[in-house]
Amino acid sequence: MAKRFDIKDLNIYYGKFHAVNSVNLAVPPRNVTAFIGPSGCGKSTVLRSLNRMHEVIPGARVEGKVLLDGEDIYASNVDPVEVRRTIGMVFQRPNPFPTMSIRDNVVAGLRLAGVKNKKHLDEVAERSLRGANLWNEVKDRLDRPGGGLSGGQQQRLCIARAIAVQPDVLLMDEPCSALDPISTLAIEDLITELKKEYTIVIVTHNMQQAARVSDQTAFFNLLGVGQPGQLIEVDDTEKIFSNPGQKATEDYISGRFG
Amino acid sequence: MTATLTDPNRPAQAPAFQKISPARQFKNYLAMTLMGLAFLVAVVPLVWLLFTVVSNGYSALVNGDWWSKSLKGVLPEQFAGGVYHALYGSIMQALVCALIAVPIGILTAVYLVEYGNNGRFARLTTFMVDILSGVPSIVAALFVFALWVTTFGFETSAFAVSLALVLLMLPVVVRSTEEMLRLVPDELREASYALGVPKWKTIVKIVLPTALSGIVTGVMLATARVMGETAPVLVLVGYSRSINFDIFGGNMASLPLLIYNELLNPEEAGQLRVWGAALTLILLIMFFNLVATVISRFSAIKTK
Amino acid sequence: MAEEVTGSSPPAKSNGRRRGDGVFRSMTTGSSLVIVVSIGLIGLFLLIQAVPSLNANNINFFTSPEWATGEVGNLRFGIRDLLVVTVLSSLLALAIAMPLAMGIALFLTHYLQPKLARPFAYVIDLLAAVPSIVFGLWGAKVLGPALEPVATFLNENLAWVPLFSDGNVSLSGGGNIFTAGIVLSIMILPIITAVSREVFRQTPVMQIEGALALGATRWEMIRTTVLPFGRSGYIAGSMLGLGRALGETVAVLIILRSATSSSTFSFFDGGYTFASKIASAAPEFSEPLSTGAYIAAGLVLFVFTFAVNALARYVAGRGKAKAS
């Protein structure tokens, strides 16, 4: 079910501000693509445009094409809600629904879509929690509120919630930036497992993380203040970190700026 | 500071700390004292008023009949009967009002927070809510009179009172709900959208439940407020000394109306009823306020 | 693609599945419309029903102190005295409540420890929970008589000030504007305090610390940072209080004694405010033309409070714009 992304000539604007300039990128299925780059370079913006979450921000608009297995997610007959059902997202800070129990959090997407069969929901909850490596830690307290878990557990809960609707792609927006090193490791292990089934795109500030989990790395950069963000280069992770094609990439990776 | 260079008695070393001049210190203390006094001045009437009402009214309340009987057939000078009929009226009129005002108020707040986008209509609505919150209760009552009674030709009734109370309750509900909805973190909305949940379901199933306790608190406070309103009942419904369950017709008592009518009764029994009803009204309002406080204490919005 | 986006929302596409969004959106918009329209209707209906009576009025509506609506063939009603009593009582209330509210708000926000400030603020809020009829009861039966010596003293010693000269009702019992104004001041105290408290608390910490670091005493800090910052909010809150006082009905109705002669512009007058006049006649609203006279008075009150509240909003809005 994992699908491939083809991003063609993508430009993103906030009102009059040109935030991201002409991105061309292919994301193969069952593969982890990492977006790296300094703050404000547009990598999160690009990520959010992949499931139309940027439309939440007033004034944001997109030009160009984002093809999911050849279908443009911005075609006029495509509903953003359907796009998001197909392309799940995990956010920077864990955001479980505070009014719901752990189990309800996991199956929230299904229940809100109208699935009522309790047995089915329970199965999905278990499968998703197992998939997120959380089942053993929470199986005895599924009815407790999700807010009672630790930060790392909450983030895995959010991943379980995202995979419960069986998306084709998972987008992760700095999923470990609010977590401690041990929780980070747990999430990274999880990503490695998830890529067997999902296409994953992850934004990260942590270059070691990009090197550890991703197969392909895209480096974004700003050419100057007030200039739009650019995709500088994209290549196999190994190549980017050992022998990047651009000077800017090398500078960034070796810590000379950013 | 006072020691100048020419002062022959100046200490060999400057003091470690510069002293504040007495005038400045005095002003500082004076300001503090005045502010504390202002607070005390405000507390005096509160305590005085509550003491008056309790000491004059409590003996009426300890009688069991007070809560279970109306004033039907009770003579002005007779120490008998109760406020059961007025209690029913007060609660019923407030409930019917809440039934109408709460959905409209919450939906309006949802519009302002989730859909309005601070556009022209949203700003107009906010402005009108502000204006509505300043409309005197007597004007709201007159308006309902002009609309419901004169124009539509209905008779005065408890329902007409409720309609006037709706106008007074709406702004309170809108404001408090709006405030609560704005406290719901955007991250929750995003999480829901990212699961492919449509916007209206996100609002109904995620945003509103998260803000629920705050909204309920606001509604309780608003209900308490309209229960104490007297002007609408004076204009829009006649007083009855016996119970009337029909909100659409006939006279119906309420606590403020009972107080107002018994004020004309010079007998001691009438005075007792006045203070007793005043105390009952305060207790009723306090009860709603208390419930509101408990609810809000129970579950404030957790952003983590 | 990329159409205009509303709020924190994804745009709703209009294909089948988004009907829920459309319906819900219309419901919320409709509710807002109800509020907007009802304000307009209030003005409109009062106007429509006031006009025939105003046309049938035989004396000047604005300048006459007379009020006789019993004879439909010979309507004579003017709002001069209602206006005088309303304004005098409200201004007295404001004059007492404004400094008190400022003191209380500063006390709660910048003197008390936060732990104590909460219950203390709750005490002030309790005042707002007391229904107006109970205030009226207490004002007429307890406070009025208690204030009688004070009123007598002011009247005897300060009679050369027009506001303290002999009124048109007897001083005994205290059924005059003086008592009413004081009761009103207590009633509007909570709202002015609440609004002021809110703005005083929002004074930027950096400014406060800046003042304190210069060696300012607490009072000097308040005068140089908190008061300038909170001034427009404080004024806006006071205007809201004024609006409340102008429209207060039953407390004033119970306290003020009716007068046989017209107003003398003294605090020791009796009579009626707009609101209490309307309420006093409510049981006799049957004849449309005479009812229309009261509705005309209500319309004036509505316009009056509308103006005061709009002004409060304007002042508050300007303050906000300045602060940001």
Side-chain angles (χ1 to χ4, degrees):
Chain A
M1 53 185 197
K3 292 186 175 161
R4 65 175 288 120
F5 259 127
D6 287 289
I7 302 166
K8 298 209 167 132
D9 201 20
L10 183 75
N11 283 278
I12 306 176
Y13 302 85
Y14 291 120
K16 290 202 178 99
F17 177 63
H18 192 181
V20 177
N21 187 28
S22 192
V23 171
N24 285 287
L25 179 68
V27 175
R30 289 194 187 79
N31 176 298
V32 179
T33 300
F35 288 2
I36 60 171
S39 302
C41 65
K43 56 193 188 304
S44 283
T45 308
V46 173
L47 187 81
R48 291 170 76 94
S49 72
L50 298 184
N51 70 342
R52 300 182 64 167
M53 279 303 286
H54 71 287
E55 291 174 10
V56 165
I57 298 156
R61 63 198 172 80
V62 157
E63 282 169 12
K65 281 198 160 97
V66 177
L67 304 174
L68 184 68
D69 267 9
E71 265 189 71
D72 188 359
I73 68 169
Y74 284 101
S76 59
N77 61 343
V78 172
D79 186 331
V81 172
E82 283 162 10
V83 170
R84 297 189 193 117
R85 286 194 72 79
T86 318
I87 304 167
M89 188 161 195
V90 176
F91 295 83
Q92 200 166 351
R93 283 204 346 204
N95 51 2
F97 299 127
T99 53
M100 296 184 187
S101 67
I102 292 174
R103 181 194 286 114
D104 287 351
N105 256 294
V106 176
V107 295
L110 292 175
R111 280 181 53 159
L112 292 173
V115 177
K116 293 217 171 63
N117 184 335
K118 179 148 190 324
K119 195 159 154 267
H120 175 60
L121 288 176
D122 283 349
E123 280 168 18
V124 172
E126 177 169 350
R127 192 178 65 223
S128 309
L129 283 169
R130 282 188 192 282
N133 287 342
L134 191 59
W135 174 253
N136 287 329
E137 292 160 62
V138 301
K139 64 182 177 206
D140 302 322
R141 44 175 171 157
L142 291 174
D143 292 318
R144 302 259 199 85
L149 299 174
S150 76
Q153 288 172 324
Q154 284 189 18
Q155 193 61 302
R156 277 180 281 153
L157 177 63
C158 291
I159 294 175
R161 185 175 66 186
I163 61 179
V165 292
Q166 297 189 296
D168 297 325
V169 180
L170 263 186
L171 307 177
M172 297 184 167
D173 189 357
E174 299 185 37
C176 302
S177 64
L179 303 181
D180 61 85
I182 293 176
S183 306
T184 300
L185 200 64
I187 304 271
E188 286 180 7
D189 288 347
L190 178 56
I191 292 173
T192 316
E193 272 176 49
L194 288 172
K195 81 168 180 189
K196 291 173 197 152
E197 279 184 72
Y198 299 95
T199 306
I200 295 175
V201 182
I202 178 171
V203 167
T204 177
H205 259 125
N206 179 334
M207 273 169 290
Q208 286 79 13
Q209 183 169 65
R212 281 193 299 262
V213 301
S214 72
D215 305 302
Q216 171 180 255
T217 298
F219 173 63
F220 290 79
N221 201 5
L222 278 175
L223 295 180
V225 176
Q227 299 281 319
Q230 300 267 9
L231 172 61
I232 301 297
E233 67 174 309
V234 52
D235 214 326
D236 287 347
T237 299
E238 214 169 307
K239 170 113 192 315
I240 289 273
F241 280 91
S242 57
N243 185 19
Q246 300 283 330
K247 176 91 170 46
T249 316
E250 194 183 346
D251 286 350
Y252 182 72
I253 288 167
S254 58
R256 243 167 272 166
F257 82 95
Chain B
M1 277 302 276
T2 49
T4 62
L5 284 175
T6 51
D7 185 355
N9 299 324
R10 74 193 159 93
Q13 227 185 340
F17 297 108
Q18 297 178 355
K19 288 269 181 289
I20 299 171
S21 76
R24 290 176 64 198
Q25 240 165 359
F26 174 73
K27 265 192 205 159
N28 190 31
Y29 284 121
L30 182 70
M32 187 165 85
T33 316
L34 285 178
M35 286 168 202
L37 274 180
F39 182 79
L40 284 182
V41 167
V43 173
V44 168
L46 177 68
V47 173
W48 189 0
L49 182 148
L50 289 180
F51 173 78
T52 311
V53 175
V54 172
S55 64
N56 286 326
Y58 84 98
S59 59
L61 269 63
V62 290
N63 189 331
D65 281 357
W66 181 260
W67 304 100
S68 60
K69 290 220 162 75
S70 71
L71 288 172
K72 189 178 184 182
V74 175
L75 297 173
E77 68 274 18
Q78 216 178 339
F79 285 93
V83 295
Y84 161 61
H85 60 311
L87 210 53
Y88 170 82
S90 278
I91 293 174
M92 204 59 200
Q93 287 162 14
L95 282 186
V96 172
C97 157
L99 226 52
I100 303 170
V102 170
I104 300 179
I106 290 180
L107 284 172
T108 302
V110 167
Y111 173 78
L112 290 176
V113 178
E114 309 284 341
Y115 291 102
N117 195 21
N118 209 17
R120 196 179 304 170
F121 185 60
R123 289 202 305 270
L124 178 69
T125 306
T126 307
F127 176 71
M128 288 307 186
V129 169
D130 276 5
I131 294 299
L132 196 57
S133 73
V135 166
S137 51
I138 188 78
V139 171
L142 263 188
F143 164 63
V144 172
F145 188 88
L147 179 79
W148 191 251
V149 181
T150 329
T151 307
F152 292 165
F154 294 106
E155 58 174 324
T156 57
S157 65
F159 186 69
V161 173
S162 295
L163 284 181
L165 295 181
V166 166
L167 292 174
L168 304 173
M169 190 176 195
L170 265 178
V172 188
V173 175
V174 174
R175 285 261 187 77
S176 58
T177 307
E178 195 188 340
E179 211 168 290
M180 286 304 136
L181 292 181
R182 290 199 195 281
L183 284 181
V184 175
D186 271 341
E187 292 156 24
L188 295 182
R189 297 184 178 91
E190 293 189 345
S192 177
Y193 295 149
L195 288 173
V197 178
K199 175 162 188 174
W200 73 275
K201 263 195 181 167
T202 301
I203 295 169
V204 174
K205 296 284 175 74
I206 307 287
V207 178
L208 284 175
T210 308
L212 188 67
S213 68
I215 295 174
V216 174
T217 305
V219 167
M220 297 300 275
L221 289 175
T223 312
R225 193 193 143 190
V226 298
M227 274 184 181
E229 286 292 348
T230 313
V233 291
L234 281 182
V235 176
L236 292 167
V237 71
Y239 176 61
S240 156
R241 293 175 68 82
S242 51
I243 185 97
N244 170 19
F245 290 108
D246 181 8
I247 59 164
F248 290 104
N251 295 341
M252 186 190 285
S254 54
L255 288 167
L257 199 51
L258 182 144
I259 296 172
Y260 189 73
N261 277 276
E262 289 290 337
L263 260 180
L264 304 173
N265 176 359
E267 302 288 342
E268 222 174 295
Q271 296 309 299
L272 181 64
R273 284 198 274 276
V274 166
W275 290 111
L279 180 56
T280 311
L281 184 56
I282 289 182
L283 288 177
L284 188 63
I285 290 173
M286 293 289 166
F287 172 74
F288 271 79
N289 278 327
L290 199 72
V291 173
T293 317
V294 170
I295 293 174
S296 74
R297 195 66 60 80
F298 242 103
S299 41
I301 291 183
K302 293 172 200 80
T303 43
K304 271 190 80 182
Chain C
M1 77 175 143
E3 64 274 75
E4 222 193 343
V5 191
T6 44
S8 52
S9 65
K13 281 265 160 64
S14 56
N15 58 8
R17 276 194 57 210
R18 290 292 71 74
R19 202 165 53 213
D21 269 338
V23 170
F24 191 68
R25 194 196 161 100
S26 316
M27 278 166 67
T28 64
T29 317
S31 296
S32 309
L33 202 62
V34 166
I35 291 183
V36 173
V37 166
S38 60
I39 288 277
L41 284 184
I42 291 177
L44 189 69
F45 265 81
L46 296 185
L47 190 65
I48 288 175
Q49 305 209 354
V51 166
S53 307
L54 287 170
N55 283 335
N57 193 3
N58 287 324
I59 55 175
N60 188 305
F61 177 62
F62 290 105
T63 57
S64 169
E66 209 179 325
W67 193 281
T69 55
E71 252 181 280
V72 178
N74 182 21
L75 284 181
R76 304 175 68 80
F77 59 96
I79 55 167
R80 195 203 75 175
D81 273 12
L82 304 184
L83 189 67
V84 171
V85 176
T86 306
V87 169
L88 272 187
S89 57
S90 301
L91 287 185
L92 177 62
L94 203 59
I96 299 171
M98 273 182 79
L100 279 180
M102 177 187 279
I104 296 168
L106 289 175
F107 183 65
L108 293 175
T109 49
H110 290 282
Y111 283 90
L112 278 181
Q113 304 154 338
K115 219 195 280 174
L116 279 177
R118 233 182 113 129
F120 275 54
Y122 191 71
V123 170
I124 300 296
D125 288 343
L126 264 185
L127 271 179
V130 176
S132 57
I133 191 161
V134 179
F135 270 115
L137 203 57
W138 174 74
K141 303 224 167 212
V142 183
L143 186 68
L147 282 177
E148 198 184 310
V150 182
T152 313
F153 174 83
L154 289 173
N155 181 235
E156 278 169 5
N157 295 288
L158 292 173
W160 49 274
V161 181
L163 287 175
F164 294 113
S165 60
D166 288 342
N168 58 9
V169 292
S170 139
L171 281 175
S172 71
N176 48 37
I177 297 176
F178 186 63
T179 310
I182 291 177
V183 171
L184 284 177
S185 75
I186 303 168
M187 296 176 71
I188 64 175
L189 196 58
I191 176 133
I192 307 182
T193 310
V195 175
S196 313
R197 210 169 69 202
E198 206 52 47
V199 290
F200 289 160
R201 204 174 49 201
Q202 285 167 0
T203 314
V205 180
M206 285 191 320
Q207 288 184 19
I208 293 178
E209 289 179 345
L212 289 178
L214 285 174
T217 62
R218 186 166 290 238
W219 167 241
E220 286 160 349
M221 177 275 286
I222 287 173
R223 225 185 46 203
T224 52
T225 62
V226 179
L227 291 184
F229 180 84
R231 201 183 64 188
S232 54
Y234 169 66
I235 293 174
S238 304
M239 303 292 282
L240 291 180
L242 177 64
R244 289 273 167 88
L246 290 171
E248 175 48 44
T249 310
V250 76
V252 181
L253 176 61
I254 296 178
I255 292 169
L256 279 190
R257 190 176 297 179
S258 60
T260 47
S261 57
S262 62
S263 161
T264 66
F265 298 87
S266 158
F267 280 145
F268 304 120
D269 280 345
Y272 291 98
T273 63
F274 285 106
S276 72
K277 185 77 188 171
I278 298 164
S280 73
E284 288 112 52
F285 283 173
S286 49
E287 179 53 51
L289 268 184
S290 42
T291 307
Y294 293 94
I295 290 181
L299 181 64
V300 175
L301 178 60
F302 176 61
V303 172
F304 219 173
T305 47
F306 188 107
V308 167
N309 283 301
L311 199 62
R313 220 188 111 91
Y314 173 71
V315 172
R318 254 189 9 173
K320 237 179 239 160
K322 217 169 38 184
S324 59

